[in-house]
Amino acid sequence: MPNTKEEVAAAKLAKQATLTAPYWDPPAELLDRSELSRWSLYRAVIAEFMATLIFLYISIATVIGYKSQAAAQACTGVGYLGVAWSFGATIFVLVHCTGGLSGGHMNPAVTFGMLVGRKLSLVRASMYIAAQCLGAICGAAIVKAITRHAHSYEAFGGGANTVADGFTVGGAIGAEIVGTFVLVYTVFSSTDPKRTARDSFVPVLQPLPIGFAVFVVHLATIPVTGTGINPARSLGAAVMYNQHIAWKHHWIFWVGPFVGATVAALYHQCVLRGKAAKALDSFRGTGAATAPQDAGT
């Protein structure tokens, strides 16, 4: 229960805003240290760890299995299409399972984009990214433990992201930026409070466009970089494979996704949601209101 007059006024203001705008979406406090005392934060961090572990296990195992089958006999295995479906479908399932707990990020780029868009506090975002990276390493470690005796893990690069032959570093980072932009833009659009406030919104379908975004981006960028768009996925595979080729251009799979996520967050929040225009109008309104007072002094 609120005790002070300020708390009572703040509670009334929040209630009024919620009634007048069902999609009211206040920005998260940047340094919300009070979250550290809440079990909900640690539950969400555990969910991110487990979801990223599962994601890396399924995705890396699929990549290595495809390469192993294709090497044994041409035109066999799941192919690029199957690999893309594996990534996209796994994301769809895991976002559906963990979305209500942590938002179902499983990707430091998505988390960083949410931080830029003021959807998360810095405290929560930092813990999410740490959990995602640790979960990715554990998931890749399970794949390595299962496949190493068949000699397929080392032979097929451990599922690590690299710049493919015939492509430049600039082309690779461009592919990562654009691919991550598509993913993070889709995440923002799918979770937009305006969309969820509509009567026609179906919550169970919310993860579907996110999974499809991962699918189509993989189709486009697997031939270029193997498709990173997720620094945790790239880190987990690189740590377990631990060869020079995996680390040579590893920075691309951090810089590209973080740049793409930042652009997507700014585009959605400042352009589509019009927050930049609203802030400018508010500034102009404040200036117009104070102008007569300033003139009279």
Side-chain angles (χ1 to χ4, degrees):
M1 293 293 292
N3 297 321
T4 66
K5 292 182 179 179
E6 291 79 6
E7 290 176 340
V8 171
K12 288 182 177 179
L13 181 62
K15 184 177 180 180
Q16 182 180 2
T18 303
L19 292 174
T20 56
Y23 50 83
W24 186 55
D25 186 27
E29 186 178 340
L30 185 60
L31 294 174
D32 188 5
R33 296 179 182 176
S34 64
E35 284 193 305
L36 294 171
S37 61
R38 301 172 191 163
W39 164 242
S40 60
L41 171 62
Y42 301 99
R43 180 180 61 187
V45 169
I46 293 170
E48 284 294 309
F49 169 81
M50 287 302 301
T52 312
L53 184 154
I54 295 169
F55 172 60
L56 261 290
Y57 167 72
I58 294 175
S59 58
I60 298 299
T62 302
V63 170
I64 293 175
Y66 154 64
K67 290 183 176 180
S68 177
Q69 292 167 340
Q73 184 177 352
C75 300
T76 60
V78 296
Y80 282 172
L81 184 63
V83 172
W85 268 120
S86 173
F87 277 81
T90 305
I91 288 294
F92 167 72
V93 171
L94 293 174
V95 171
H96 175 72
C97 292
T98 62
L101 297 173
S102 65
H105 296 183
M106 297 163 283
N107 185 337
V110 172
T111 300
F112 185 75
M114 291 293 171
L115 176 64
V116 172
R118 298 295 302 276
K119 301 290 187 180
L120 295 176
S121 69
L122 181 60
V123 172
R124 182 176 289 264
S126 300
M127 294 184 69
Y128 273 20
I129 291 174
Q132 291 157 0
C133 291
L134 183 59
I137 293 171
C138 293
I142 294 174
V143 177
K144 183 175 182 178
I146 292 174
T147 61
R148 66 184 304 176
H149 296 295
H151 306 292
S152 57
Y153 185 86
E154 298 292 340
F156 300 109
N161 290 118
T162 58
V163 179
D165 294 337
F167 292 93
T168 64
V169 170
I173 196 169
E176 289 295 310
I177 290 173
V178 174
T180 311
F181 174 88
V182 172
L183 171 60
V184 177
Y185 170 53
T186 304
V187 171
F188 269 96
S189 298
S190 300
T191 58
D192 192 322
K194 277 191 174 183
R195 182 183 299 275
T196 60
R198 294 170 183 162
D199 294 336
S200 60
F201 174 71
V202 183
V204 73
L205 297 180
Q206 194 173 30
L208 187 61
I210 299 174
F212 267 111
V214 172
F215 168 65
V216 297
V217 169
H218 273 74
L219 288 180
T221 57
I222 282 177
V224 184
T225 62
T227 308
I229 68 170
N230 184 337
R233 174 259 186 272
S234 301
L235 178 67
V239 168
M240 286 296 103
Y241 185 51
N242 199 28
Q243 299 293 327
H244 174 70
I245 191 172
W247 295 112
K248 183 178 180 181
H249 295 127
H250 182 70
W251 62 271
I252 291 175
F253 303 102
W254 285 86
V255 174
F258 272 57
V259 171
T262 301
V263 175
L266 295 176
Y267 172 65
H268 183 271
Q269 296 294 88
C270 297
V271 178
L272 300 187
R273 290 295 301 273
K275 290 190 175 182
K278 292 175 184 177
L280 181 60
D281 290 341
S282 177
F283 175 77
R284 287 174 176 172
T286 303
T290 58
Q293 181 181 355
D294 294 340
T297 57

